Amino acid sequence: MINPMLSFMQLCDSNFPSGAFSHSFGLETYIYEGTIFNAVTFEHAMRVYMQTQMAYTDALACRLAYEDIENGQFDHLVELDHMLSALALAKETREGTRRIGERMAKLCVDLYESTLIDTYFKQIRQKEVNGHPSIVFALAAHHLQANKKDAIAAHLFSGVHSLIQNAVRAIPLGQTDGQRILLALQPLMQDIADQAETMTEDELGMNMPGLEIAQMRHEQLPVRLFMS
C-alpha cells in the first residue's frame, strides 16, 4: 500500500524531474551583473523573491487552486490557469512555468490515479489551458490527502529548494551554504503560507518591477546557464 505522506515528500523533492533545474526566473541576471555573488547576497535576494513573486503567485495560486478543487469549482480552476499565464509579463518566465507545469502534470498522470489530474493534463494537451505548477501541485497534494496549509508551505519549500540548488551551481555556493540558507528561509516559508490564507484573488500576480525587468533582460544575456 502506498503511503500518502511519503508520496507527498516525493512530490516536494528538488530531484522530482519537473524541469525546474533549468530555470532561475531572473535570478541569473543578478548573478551575471554581480548583484548576487555569495551566500549573503543570495539569501537577501531570495527573501525579496519569496515575499513578492512566490507569495502573490505561487502561494496564492496554490491556495486558490486547492479551494477550487475542494469546492468542485473546476471552471474557476481553468480561469485561474488563464490568469496566471496573463500575469506573467516576462516571456521566459511565462514559458518556463508552462513547461514545468506541463511536465509536472505528465509525471503526476503517470504516478497517481487521479481523474482531476488526468483531466487537467488533457486540457493542457488540447491547449484549453496553459499548465501551471501551482495548480498541478494543488491537484497532486489534494489527491495525496495533504491539507491546504501544508500544501502551500510544501509548494514554497519545493520552489525555494530548487532555486537554491540552481544557485549552488551558478554563483557558485557550497552545498553547506545552500542547506544553511534553506533552513534560514523556512520561517519565512511558513509566514507566507499563513499570509496566503488572508490574501484576495485581486492580489494575484503582484510583483516587484525590478524582478520582472530582470526576467525580461535575461533573454539578452551573452552567457546563460538557465532557460529563464
Side-chain angles (χ1 to χ4, degrees):
M1 181 178 178
I2 292 176
N3 185 318
M5 182 197 68
L6 295 179
S7 293
F8 188 49
M9 290 171 64
Q10 179 183 0
L11 178 68
C12 300
D13 195 318
S14 64
N15 289 320
F16 193 78
S18 65
F21 63 87
S22 298
H23 300 275
S24 80
F25 295 111
L27 293 177
E28 187 176 21
T29 302
Y30 294 118
I31 295 171
Y32 177 80
E33 294 176 345
T35 306
I36 298 174
F37 56 89
N38 60 13
V40 174
T41 53
F42 174 68
E43 182 179 337
H44 175 73
M46 279 301 302
R47 289 182 181 277
V48 174
Y49 183 85
M50 290 168 66
Q51 290 167 332
T52 53
Q53 183 153 321
M54 294 194 82
Y56 292 101
T57 298
D58 302 281
L60 180 53
C62 186
R63 191 207 96 198
L64 293 171
Y66 197 102
E67 290 173 353
D68 285 345
I69 297 159
E70 280 193 314
N71 299 326
Q73 296 177 325
F74 304 117
D75 288 344
H76 187 265
L77 198 67
V78 171
E79 183 181 341
L80 177 63
D81 175 284
H82 294 166
M83 284 192 290
L84 287 166
S85 179
L87 288 166
L89 300 183
K91 178 183 176 182
E92 284 189 349
T93 299
R94 186 169 59 253
E95 184 62 17
T97 53
R98 187 196 66 76
R99 287 173 180 269
I100 294 171
E102 182 173 1
R103 178 62 179 158
M104 281 183 67
K106 185 178 187 305
L107 284 165
C108 290
V109 165
D110 291 338
L111 293 173
Y112 314 129
E113 293 183 4
S114 165
T115 302
L116 294 181
I117 297 174
D118 288 350
T119 299
Y120 187 62
F121 182 59
K122 286 176 183 175
Q123 289 175 319
I124 293 173
R125 297 304 296 268
Q126 293 167 0
K127 301 190 183 303
E128 297 172 3
V129 297
N130 300 283
H132 196 280
S134 298
I135 294 177
V136 180
F137 198 95
L139 286 163
H142 186 270
H143 175 73
L144 295 170
Q145 303 170 27
N147 67 48
K148 181 174 64 177
K149 186 170 285 189
D150 287 344
I152 297 167
H155 185 38
L156 289 167
F157 178 87
S158 178
V160 170
H161 197 187
S162 293
L163 286 171
I164 288 174
Q165 290 303 309
N166 291 350
V168 166
R169 290 186 286 146
I171 294 175
L173 299 177
Q175 289 288 349
T176 301
D177 281 335
Q179 291 303 310
R180 284 178 180 147
I181 293 169
L182 184 62
L183 185 63
L185 293 177
Q186 286 187 28
L188 181 56
M189 294 179 212
Q190 191 58 58
D191 287 345
I192 292 171
D194 292 339
Q195 292 167 13
E197 293 283 355
T198 61
M199 293 176 186
T200 67
E201 189 172 311
D202 289 341
E203 296 175 278
L204 190 66
M206 287 174 56
N207 207 343
M208 295 283 286
L211 178 58
E212 289 181 324
I213 291 168
Q215 292 170 347
M216 294 173 186
R217 292 176 58 226
H218 183 268
E219 229 180 315
Q220 305 301 322
L221 291 185
V223 178
R224 299 186 303 173
L225 291 176
F226 301 101
M227 294 171 65
S228 72

